[in-house]
């Protein structure tokens, strides 16, 4: 992935239908979250082709999907239309989130957190902090510490989650959970993190 043009790598992956994370089904660790409340304003960062956006919108939530790939967002809009749900989509870098206005009650992160490490991960968490309401929660699933690291996402340990969300957040839950790909289940990390300070 090029730092100069991060969108190009993602655009090509979706154009070639070569996105192993794009299974067409919500991650099991996140799917039931949609039933936990009657109505949330939900952010789906790195929404890809809109699987989680559509899932949450179909459960009555007001959902905004964001992805750096214009190709992915076009497909996400088509998927929402196909399923007859209302959702908003933006082409934007999730490390900035300039295109969206908070506050959000919940963030559904399926494989976005594990894309970044170091400063980029800090930028991403800071961007989330700017748009998540006090008491709002981030629900995330990522490749876990035991996941293969060859040419894939950065494996995420429980301590990685705690370190990234150390300031202004409270980690309510972090545990092992499978991350589904087109090639099978990968060892994953699931976390629930609450925005607690400004």
């Amino acid at each position: 992935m090029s730092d100069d043009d991060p969108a190009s790598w993602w655009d090509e992956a979706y154009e070639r239908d070569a996105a192993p994370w794009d299974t067409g089904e919500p991650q099991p660790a996140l799917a039931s979250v949609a039933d936990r409340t009657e109505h949330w304003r939900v952010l789906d960062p790195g929404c890809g082709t809109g699987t989680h956006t559509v899932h949450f919108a179909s459960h009555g939530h007001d959902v905004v999907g964001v992805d750096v790939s214009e190709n992915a967002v076009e497909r996400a809009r088509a998927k929402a239309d196909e399923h007859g749900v209302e959702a908003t989509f933006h082409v934007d870098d999730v490390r900035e989130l300039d295109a969206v206005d908070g506050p959000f009650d919940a963030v559904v992160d399926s494989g976005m957190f594990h894309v970044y490490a170091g400063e980029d991960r800090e930028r991403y968490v800071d961007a989330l902090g700017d748009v998540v309401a006090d008491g709002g929660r981030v629900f995330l699933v990522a490749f876990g510490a035991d996941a293969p690291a060859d040419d894939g996402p950065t494996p995420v340990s429980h301590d990685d989650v705690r370190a990234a969300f150390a300031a202004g957040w409270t980690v309510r839950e972090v545990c092992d959970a499978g991350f589904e790909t087109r090639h099978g289940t990968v060892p994953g990390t699931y976390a629930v993190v609450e925005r607690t300070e400004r």
Side-chain angles (χ1 to χ4, degrees), residues 6-156:
S8 62
W9 188 91
W10 300 104
D11 278 333
E12 184 179 349
Y14 287 111
E15 182 65 33
R16 293 187 294 112
D17 196 27
W21 59 87
D22 189 21
T23 67
E25 296 292 334
Q27 291 290 334
L30 299 175
S32 64
V33 174
D35 293 323
R36 293 191 183 180
T37 186
E38 288 186 8
H39 181 84
W40 274 335
R41 187 158 190 257
V42 178
L43 176 66
D44 181 6
C47 67
T49 61
T51 298
H52 291 86
T53 305
V54 168
H55 178 74
F56 276 75
S58 70
H59 284 71
H61 302 291
D62 177 12
V63 193
V64 177
V66 177
D67 203 285
V68 73
S69 168
E70 187 170 347
N71 188 321
V73 168
E74 287 175 0
R75 293 176 185 221
R77 289 182 175 130
K79 185 177 289 185
D81 288 344
E82 178 185 342
H83 286 80
V85 299
E86 294 288 331
T88 302
F89 295 96
H90 297 286
V91 178
D92 195 13
D93 187 333
V94 299
R95 295 168 296 179
E96 304 296 336
L97 292 175
D98 292 329
V100 303
D101 294 319
F104 290 92
D105 305 300
V107 173
V108 181
D109 178 329
S110 173
M112 193 75 257
F113 183 82
H114 70 200
V115 169
Y116 300 121
E119 182 180 335
D120 284 326
R121 182 174 286 172
E122 292 177 12
R123 288 175 58 197
Y124 173 55
V125 172
D126 286 347
L128 293 181
D130 288 339
V131 298
V132 175
D134 291 341
R137 294 195 172 191
V138 176
F139 301 86
L140 73 85
V141 63
F143 272 31
D146 294 329
D150 298 340
D151 298 322
T154 305
V156 174

